[in-house]
Amino acid sequence: MDYQFLKVEQPQEGVTLLKISAPKSLNALNSTILKELDAFIDNIGSGTRVLIITGDGEKSFVAGADISEMANLNEQEGYAFGRLGDKVFRKIETLPIPVIAAVNGFALGGGCELAMACDIRICSDNAKFGQPEVGLGITPGFSGTVRLPRLVGQGMAKEMIYTGRVIRADEALRIGLVNAVYPREELLEKALEMAAKMVANAPLAICACKESINRGCDLTMDEAIELENKLFAGCFATADQKEGMAAFLGKRKAAFTGK
Ligand code: HXC
């Protein structure tokens, strides 16, 4: 499929690299990009075991939602625009495969929100994160008020959102917004290394872990444990469980089929 604003690459077995590419606006998300993202996610094939999302160019991951498109929206149109981003980001969050955000520069507003919809965030040392929306007279509208407090705690999320303060990579690491910071030129290589480790493991087991963590965080402790138990049990109905354990006992490397 051809996209105007997305570049799709297959850098290694099982890994798809998606670059958001709108160089004139530092990869700001307009509704066409959001619709392309939606179509891309809907069409991800089973060959993709890990998705990496990054920004095209050296300066920006995504500098937010497109302010020039939002400037003249009325309330109803604002609702529709926010809803579109929410829907696409939720699709990313609930994909049955790991999604890594390789944040290579500005991740502001909708860019920070996109990164937060991914399972894992790593960034380059020039990355900058923030939710500057209140300075534009709006709230974070792609679920930033929902995901940021879940990731960094309410106090830090409220400070970032109320002040619009932009934080650097070292602070993002300290507050747990990213897992690791790398020199800019090493970021993709590190993302690919992480992805390769995931690709070597059992895909259905990873998918079950993702569901258990994502859904479990919104359940009571007892409900979450029950959910984990069901997902754990489900693994014993897979060929990958037989293969993984047989490989261990046979002192060989497992060859998982995702079945
Ligand atoms: C539209 C944008 C943009 C954005 C940058 N550009 N961010 N256009 N929407 N979010 C454009 C600029 O207008 C400029 O276009 C070009 O990209 C280069 O940007 P500069 O500002 O010249 O670059 P620089 O001085 O390096 O500053 C980079 C920056 C700054 C700090 C990232 O551009 C900035 O503050 N951008 C806005 C960030 C922001 O507020 N994001 C949140 C948006 S609200 P020209 O034509 O002049 O070259 C949001 C809401 C999400 O995300 C929820 C919606 C429902």
Side-chain angles (χ1 to χ4, degrees):
M1 215 165 156
D2 282 340
Y3 299 103
Q4 190 184 348
F5 294 107
L6 305 181
K7 292 185 180 170
V8 183
E9 297 170 21
Q10 238 68 59
Q12 64 195 30
E13 185 67 28
V15 181
T16 295
L17 175 65
L18 173 69
K19 293 182 176 170
I20 315 271
S21 183
K24 287 185 188 149
S25 61
L26 299 178
N27 306 329
L29 299 172
N30 57 38
S31 46
T32 306
I33 303 185
L34 290 170
K35 284 177 192 154
E36 289 194 356
L37 264 174
D38 194 34
F40 168 80
I41 297 296
D42 284 347
N43 287 296
I44 282 192
S46 57
T48 298
R49 301 260 304 274
V50 177
L51 172 64
I52 300 172
I53 302 181
T54 194
D56 202 15
E58 302 206 329
K59 195 172 161 182
S60 183
F61 175 70
V62 166
D66 192 318
I67 298 169
S68 58
E69 180 172 342
M70 284 187 295
N72 295 315
L73 299 184
N74 62 28
E75 186 174 350
Q76 205 181 358
E77 292 161 341
Y79 181 84
F81 188 64
R83 183 116 182 148
L84 174 62
D86 283 340
K87 182 184 87 168
V88 178
F89 289 10
R90 185 74 177 136
K91 268 192 194 177
I92 291 171
E93 188 167 50
T94 54
L95 267 176
I97 54 167
V99 184
I100 302 169
V103 177
N104 59 315
F106 293 114
L108 302 177
C112 190
E113 291 169 310
L114 172 60
M116 290 192 291
C118 300
D119 291 295
I120 291 161
R121 288 149 294 287
I122 59 174
C123 74
S124 52
D125 47 15
N126 66 322
K128 293 209 168 105
F129 297 82
Q131 298 291 160
E133 284 91 341
V134 293
L136 296 163
I138 57 172
T139 63
F142 293 155
S143 317
T145 62
V146 179
R147 293 198 179 93
L148 191 59
R150 282 168 164 76
L151 278 170
V152 303
Q154 282 199 30
M156 184 55 75
K158 285 176 175 171
E159 184 203 321
M160 284 178 67
I161 290 171
Y162 299 172
T163 63
R165 185 164 72 87
V166 171
I167 64 170
R168 291 190 325 215
D170 54 347
E171 188 169 359
L173 180 66
R174 185 175 61 74
I175 66 173
L177 187 54
V178 299
N179 289 18
V181 181
Y182 298 107
R184 189 162 48 86
E185 54 286 359
E186 289 175 23
L187 178 66
L188 275 186
E189 185 190 318
K190 295 294 180 186
L192 289 170
E193 267 174 31
M194 187 189 285
K197 287 184 187 147
M198 295 173 183
V199 168
N201 289 325
L204 293 173
I206 291 180
C207 177
C209 293
K210 179 165 175 170
E211 184 179 346
S212 189
I213 295 168
N214 278 5
R215 288 182 52 206
C217 284
D218 294 327
L219 298 174
T220 65
M221 187 66 99
D222 287 329
E223 289 164 346
I225 289 170
E226 176 62 19
L227 172 65
E228 188 202 65
N229 194 212
K230 282 193 184 128
L231 290 162
F232 169 74
C235 295
F236 290 86
T238 68
D240 281 351
Q241 176 269 329
K242 311 283 176 252
E243 166 62 11
M245 295 194 183
F248 175 80
L249 296 172
K251 300 189 188 307
R252 62 175 173 82
K253 201 168 171 290
F256 294 116
T257 56
K259 291 187 180 129

PDB file of all heavy atoms in Angstrom, residues 39-65:
ATOM      1  N   ALA A  39      -5.177   2.897   8.493  1.00  0.00           N
ATOM      2  CA  ALA A  39      -5.159   1.900   7.417  1.00  0.00           C
ATOM      3  C   ALA A  39      -3.935   0.996   7.551  1.00  0.00           C
ATOM      4  O   ALA A  39      -4.015  -0.229   7.368  1.00  0.00           O
ATOM      5  CB  ALA A  39      -5.144   2.602   6.055  1.00  0.00           C
ATOM      6  N   PHE A  40      -2.799   1.600   7.904  1.00  0.00           N
ATOM      7  CA  PHE A  40      -1.570   0.814   8.078  1.00  0.00           C
ATOM      8  C   PHE A  40      -1.768  -0.248   9.162  1.00  0.00           C
ATOM      9  O   PHE A  40      -1.427  -1.420   8.970  1.00  0.00           O
ATOM     10  CB  PHE A  40      -0.403   1.746   8.427  1.00  0.00           C
ATOM     11  CG  PHE A  40       0.808   1.009   8.909  1.00  0.00           C
ATOM     12  CD1 PHE A  40       1.668   0.407   8.003  1.00  0.00           C
ATOM     13  CD2 PHE A  40       1.070   0.885  10.265  1.00  0.00           C
ATOM     14  CE1 PHE A  40       2.764  -0.316   8.452  1.00  0.00           C
ATOM     15  CE2 PHE A  40       2.165   0.171  10.720  1.00  0.00           C
ATOM     16  CZ  PHE A  40       3.017  -0.426   9.806  1.00  0.00           C
ATOM     17  N   ILE A  41      -2.316   0.171  10.298  1.00  0.00           N
ATOM     18  CA  ILE A  41      -2.517  -0.770  11.416  1.00  0.00           C
ATOM     19  C   ILE A  41      -3.487  -1.885  11.000  1.00  0.00           C
ATOM     20  O   ILE A  41      -3.260  -3.057  11.279  1.00  0.00           O
ATOM     21  CB  ILE A  41      -3.076  -0.028  12.667  1.00  0.00           C
ATOM     22  CG1 ILE A  41      -2.074   1.012  13.166  1.00  0.00           C
ATOM     23  CG2 ILE A  41      -3.446  -1.006  13.791  1.00  0.00           C
ATOM     24  CD1 ILE A  41      -0.769   0.474  13.663  1.00  0.00           C
ATOM     25  N   ASP A  42      -4.549  -1.509  10.297  1.00  0.00           N
ATOM     26  CA  ASP A  42      -5.533  -2.516   9.858  1.00  0.00           C
ATOM     27  C   ASP A  42      -4.917  -3.533   8.906  1.00  0.00           C
ATOM     28  O   ASP A  42      -5.405  -4.654   8.800  1.00  0.00           O
ATOM     29  CB  ASP A  42      -6.711  -1.836   9.129  1.00  0.00           C
ATOM     30  CG  ASP A  42      -7.654  -1.154  10.109  1.00  0.00           C
ATOM     31  OD1 ASP A  42      -7.539  -1.408  11.321  1.00  0.00           O
ATOM     32  OD2 ASP A  42      -8.499  -0.360   9.656  1.00  0.00           O
ATOM     33  N   ASN A  43      -3.881  -3.131   8.210  1.00  0.00           N
ATOM     34  CA  ASN A  43      -3.311  -4.006   7.179  1.00  0.00           C
ATOM     35  C   ASN A  43      -1.996  -4.673   7.584  1.00  0.00           C
ATOM     36  O   ASN A  43      -1.336  -5.281   6.737  1.00  0.00           O
ATOM     37  CB  ASN A  43      -3.115  -3.214   5.885  1.00  0.00           C
ATOM     38  CG  ASN A  43      -4.450  -2.955   5.217  1.00  0.00           C
ATOM     39  OD1 ASN A  43      -5.132  -3.884   4.800  1.00  0.00           O
ATOM     40  ND2 ASN A  43      -4.867  -1.697   5.174  1.00  0.00           N
ATOM     41  N   ILE A  44      -1.627  -4.549   8.853  1.00  0.00           N
ATOM     42  CA  ILE A  44      -0.384  -5.211   9.280  1.00  0.00           C
ATOM     43  C   ILE A  44      -0.564  -6.721   9.127  1.00  0.00           C
ATOM     44  O   ILE A  44      -1.516  -7.290   9.646  1.00  0.00           O
ATOM     45  CB  ILE A  44      -0.055  -4.880  10.755  1.00  0.00           C
ATOM     46  CG1 ILE A  44       0.550  -3.493  10.843  1.00  0.00           C
ATOM     47  CG2 ILE A  44       0.902  -5.896  11.344  1.00  0.00           C
ATOM     48  CD1 ILE A  44       1.163  -3.194  12.185  1.00  0.00           C
ATOM     49  N   GLY A  45       0.343  -7.342   8.427  1.00  0.00           N
ATOM     50  CA  GLY A  45       0.219  -8.785   8.184  1.00  0.00           C
ATOM     51  C   GLY A  45       0.858  -9.587   9.315  1.00  0.00           C
ATOM     52  O   GLY A  45       1.531  -9.047  10.198  1.00  0.00           O
ATOM     53  N   SER A  46       0.664 -10.903   9.250  1.00  0.00           N
ATOM     54  CA  SER A  46       1.180 -11.766  10.324  1.00  0.00           C
ATOM     55  C   SER A  46       2.704 -11.861  10.283  1.00  0.00           C
ATOM     56  O   SER A  46       3.325 -12.328  11.226  1.00  0.00           O
ATOM     57  CB  SER A  46       0.558 -13.153  10.215  1.00  0.00           C
ATOM     58  OG  SER A  46       0.832 -13.663   8.929  1.00  0.00           O
ATOM     59  N   GLY A  47       3.317 -11.389   9.190  1.00  0.00           N
ATOM     60  CA  GLY A  47       4.784 -11.381   9.114  1.00  0.00           C
ATOM     61  C   GLY A  47       5.418 -10.378  10.066  1.00  0.00           C
ATOM     62  O   GLY A  47       6.613 -10.462  10.373  1.00  0.00           O
ATOM     63  N   THR A  48       4.633  -9.417  10.515  1.00  0.00           N
ATOM     64  CA  THR A  48       5.179  -8.433  11.455  1.00  0.00           C
ATOM     65  C   THR A  48       5.003  -8.941  12.879  1.00  0.00           C
ATOM     66  O   THR A  48       3.891  -9.081  13.372  1.00  0.00           O
ATOM     67  CB  THR A  48       4.450  -7.074  11.310  1.00  0.00           C
ATOM     68  OG1 THR A  48       4.679  -6.578   9.989  1.00  0.00           O
ATOM     69  CG2 THR A  48       4.980  -6.058  12.317  1.00  0.00           C
ATOM     70  N   ARG A  49       6.120  -9.204  13.521  1.00  0.00           N
ATOM     71  CA  ARG A  49       6.067  -9.709  14.913  1.00  0.00           C
ATOM     72  C   ARG A  49       6.360  -8.594  15.901  1.00  0.00           C
ATOM     73  O   ARG A  49       6.001  -8.690  17.064  1.00  0.00           O
ATOM     74  CB  ARG A  49       7.064 -10.851  15.055  1.00  0.00           C
ATOM     75  CG  ARG A  49       6.810 -12.028  14.087  1.00  0.00           C
ATOM     76  CD  ARG A  49       6.095 -13.154  14.763  1.00  0.00           C
ATOM     77  NE  ARG A  49       6.856 -13.580  15.916  1.00  0.00           N
ATOM     78  CZ  ARG A  49       7.862 -14.469  15.875  1.00  0.00           C
ATOM     79  NH1 ARG A  49       8.196 -15.037  14.740  1.00  0.00           N
ATOM     80  NH2 ARG A  49       8.496 -14.791  16.979  1.00  0.00           N
ATOM     81  N   VAL A  50       7.058  -7.555  15.430  1.00  0.00           N
ATOM     82  CA  VAL A  50       7.312  -6.363  16.258  1.00  0.00           C
ATOM     83  C   VAL A  50       7.220  -5.146  15.335  1.00  0.00           C
ATOM     84  O   VAL A  50       7.735  -5.166  14.215  1.00  0.00           O
ATOM     85  CB  VAL A  50       8.713  -6.396  16.915  1.00  0.00           C
ATOM     86  CG1 VAL A  50       8.978  -5.115  17.705  1.00  0.00           C
ATOM     87  CG2 VAL A  50       8.879  -7.604  17.826  1.00  0.00           C
ATOM     88  N   LEU A  51       6.549  -4.111  15.828  1.00  0.00           N
ATOM     89  CA  LEU A  51       6.461  -2.859  15.071  1.00  0.00           C
ATOM     90  C   LEU A  51       7.284  -1.790  15.799  1.00  0.00           C
ATOM     91  O   LEU A  51       7.152  -1.632  17.019  1.00  0.00           O
ATOM     92  CB  LEU A  51       4.995  -2.417  14.984  1.00  0.00           C
ATOM     93  CG  LEU A  51       4.730  -1.029  14.385  1.00  0.00           C
ATOM     94  CD1 LEU A  51       5.149  -0.976  12.920  1.00  0.00           C
ATOM     95  CD2 LEU A  51       3.239  -0.667  14.523  1.00  0.00           C
ATOM     96  N   ILE A  52       8.119  -1.086  15.030  1.00  0.00           N
ATOM     97  CA  ILE A  52       8.862   0.059  15.586  1.00  0.00           C
ATOM     98  C   ILE A  52       8.327   1.314  14.910  1.00  0.00           C
ATOM     99  O   ILE A  52       8.232   1.372  13.678  1.00  0.00           O
ATOM    100  CB  ILE A  52      10.379  -0.075  15.323  1.00  0.00           C
ATOM    101  CG1 ILE A  52      10.930  -1.351  15.970  1.00  0.00           C
ATOM    102  CG2 ILE A  52      11.129   1.159  15.846  1.00  0.00           C
ATOM    103  CD1 ILE A  52      12.376  -1.663  15.594  1.00  0.00           C
ATOM    104  N   ILE A  53       7.970   2.310  15.715  1.00  0.00           N
ATOM    105  CA  ILE A  53       7.494   3.573  15.145  1.00  0.00           C
ATOM    106  C   ILE A  53       8.521   4.660  15.457  1.00  0.00           C
ATOM    107  O   ILE A  53       8.981   4.793  16.601  1.00  0.00           O
ATOM    108  CB  ILE A  53       6.122   3.984  15.734  1.00  0.00           C
ATOM    109  CG1 ILE A  53       5.085   2.878  15.483  1.00  0.00           C
ATOM    110  CG2 ILE A  53       5.640   5.309  15.132  1.00  0.00           C
ATOM    111  CD1 ILE A  53       3.677   3.184  16.009  1.00  0.00           C
ATOM    112  N   THR A  54       8.893   5.421  14.434  1.00  0.00           N
ATOM    113  CA  THR A  54       9.827   6.524  14.635  1.00  0.00           C
ATOM    114  C   THR A  54       9.415   7.693  13.734  1.00  0.00           C
ATOM    115  O   THR A  54       8.458   7.590  12.968  1.00  0.00           O
ATOM    116  CB  THR A  54      11.284   6.062  14.368  1.00  0.00           C
ATOM    117  OG1 THR A  54      12.195   7.034  14.870  1.00  0.00           O
ATOM    118  CG2 THR A  54      11.546   5.836  12.885  1.00  0.00           C
ATOM    119  N   GLY A  55      10.131   8.803  13.871  1.00  0.00           N
ATOM    120  CA  GLY A  55       9.867   9.952  13.013  1.00  0.00           C
ATOM    121  C   GLY A  55      10.912  10.013  11.913  1.00  0.00           C
ATOM    122  O   GLY A  55      12.081   9.678  12.139  1.00  0.00           O
ATOM    123  N   ASP A  56      10.503  10.451  10.734  1.00  0.00           N
ATOM    124  CA  ASP A  56      11.455  10.598   9.641  1.00  0.00           C
ATOM    125  C   ASP A  56      12.306  11.849   9.915  1.00  0.00           C
ATOM    126  O   ASP A  56      11.819  12.829  10.481  1.00  0.00           O
ATOM    127  CB  ASP A  56      10.674  10.748   8.332  1.00  0.00           C
ATOM    128  CG  ASP A  56      11.518  10.373   7.125  1.00  0.00           C
ATOM    129  OD1 ASP A  56      12.568   9.738   7.302  1.00  0.00           O
ATOM    130  OD2 ASP A  56      11.109  10.722   5.998  1.00  0.00           O
ATOM    131  N   GLY A  57      13.539  11.821   9.516  1.00  0.00           N
ATOM    132  CA  GLY A  57      14.408  12.977   9.738  1.00  0.00           C
ATOM    133  C   GLY A  57      15.117  12.895  11.082  1.00  0.00           C
ATOM    134  O   GLY A  57      14.916  11.955  11.848  1.00  0.00           O
ATOM    135  N   GLU A  58      15.934  13.908  11.359  1.00  0.00           N
ATOM    136  CA  GLU A  58      16.820  13.838  12.520  1.00  0.00           C
ATOM    137  C   GLU A  58      16.330  14.658  13.696  1.00  0.00           C
ATOM    138  O   GLU A  58      16.920  14.637  14.765  1.00  0.00           O
ATOM    139  CB  GLU A  58      18.210  14.335  12.117  1.00  0.00           C
ATOM    140  CG  GLU A  58      18.779  13.528  10.975  1.00  0.00           C
ATOM    141  CD  GLU A  58      20.278  13.533  10.970  1.00  0.00           C
ATOM    142  OE1 GLU A  58      20.849  14.544  11.416  1.00  0.00           O
ATOM    143  OE2 GLU A  58      20.862  12.534  10.517  1.00  0.00           O
ATOM    144  N   LYS A  59      15.271  15.405  13.514  1.00  0.00           N
ATOM    145  CA  LYS A  59      14.926  16.415  14.514  1.00  0.00           C
ATOM    146  C   LYS A  59      13.675  16.089  15.317  1.00  0.00           C
ATOM    147  O   LYS A  59      13.520  16.550  16.450  1.00  0.00           O
ATOM    148  CB  LYS A  59      14.701  17.732  13.744  1.00  0.00           C
ATOM    149  CG  LYS A  59      14.690  18.964  14.589  1.00  0.00           C
ATOM    150  CD  LYS A  59      14.664  20.214  13.715  1.00  0.00           C
ATOM    151  CE  LYS A  59      14.180  21.407  14.520  1.00  0.00           C
ATOM    152  NZ  LYS A  59      14.093  22.625  13.740  1.00  0.00           N
ATOM    153  N   SER A  60      12.781  15.321  14.714  1.00  0.00           N
ATOM    154  CA  SER A  60      11.470  15.192  15.339  1.00  0.00           C
ATOM    155  C   SER A  60      10.896  13.788  15.192  1.00  0.00           C
ATOM    156  O   SER A  60      10.979  13.183  14.115  1.00  0.00           O
ATOM    157  CB  SER A  60      10.513  16.204  14.689  1.00  0.00           C
ATOM    158  OG  SER A  60       9.256  16.168  15.312  1.00  0.00           O
ATOM    159  N   PHE A  61      10.320  13.322  16.288  1.00  0.00           N
ATOM    160  CA  PHE A  61       9.468  12.124  16.245  1.00  0.00           C
ATOM    161  C   PHE A  61       8.133  12.594  15.662  1.00  0.00           C
ATOM    162  O   PHE A  61       7.878  12.413  14.479  1.00  0.00           O
ATOM    163  CB  PHE A  61       9.340  11.564  17.670  1.00  0.00           C
ATOM    164  CG  PHE A  61       8.417  10.404  17.826  1.00  0.00           C
ATOM    165  CD1 PHE A  61       8.741   9.151  17.308  1.00  0.00           C
ATOM    166  CD2 PHE A  61       7.216  10.529  18.523  1.00  0.00           C
ATOM    167  CE1 PHE A  61       7.881   8.058  17.477  1.00  0.00           C
ATOM    168  CE2 PHE A  61       6.357   9.447  18.702  1.00  0.00           C
ATOM    169  CZ  PHE A  61       6.687   8.219  18.172  1.00  0.00           C
ATOM    170  N   VAL A  62       7.366  13.292  16.454  1.00  0.00           N
ATOM    171  CA  VAL A  62       6.125  13.935  16.004  1.00  0.00           C
ATOM    172  C   VAL A  62       5.944  15.188  16.858  1.00  0.00           C
ATOM    173  O   VAL A  62       5.892  15.093  18.085  1.00  0.00           O
ATOM    174  CB  VAL A  62       4.912  12.991  16.171  1.00  0.00           C
ATOM    175  CG1 VAL A  62       3.599  13.754  16.047  1.00  0.00           C
ATOM    176  CG2 VAL A  62       4.953  11.842  15.163  1.00  0.00           C
ATOM    177  N   ALA A  63       5.852  16.362  16.207  1.00  0.00           N
ATOM    178  CA  ALA A  63       5.786  17.629  16.969  1.00  0.00           C
ATOM    179  C   ALA A  63       4.366  17.985  17.409  1.00  0.00           C
ATOM    180  O   ALA A  63       4.084  19.122  17.733  1.00  0.00           O
ATOM    181  CB  ALA A  63       6.367  18.763  16.132  1.00  0.00           C
ATOM    182  N   GLY A  64       3.484  16.985  17.417  1.00  0.00           N
ATOM    183  CA  GLY A  64       2.121  17.226  17.900  1.00  0.00           C
ATOM    184  C   GLY A  64       1.091  16.996  16.828  1.00  0.00           C
ATOM    185  O   GLY A  64       1.412  16.555  15.720  1.00  0.00           O
ATOM    186  N   ALA A  65      -0.143  17.288  17.185  1.00  0.00           N
ATOM    187  CA  ALA A  65      -1.175  17.327  16.156  1.00  0.00           C
ATOM    188  C   ALA A  65      -0.941  18.594  15.345  1.00  0.00           C
ATOM    189  O   ALA A  65      -0.309  19.551  15.828  1.00  0.00           O
ATOM    190  CB  ALA A  65      -2.548  17.338  16.803  1.00  0.00           C
TER     191      ALA A  65
END
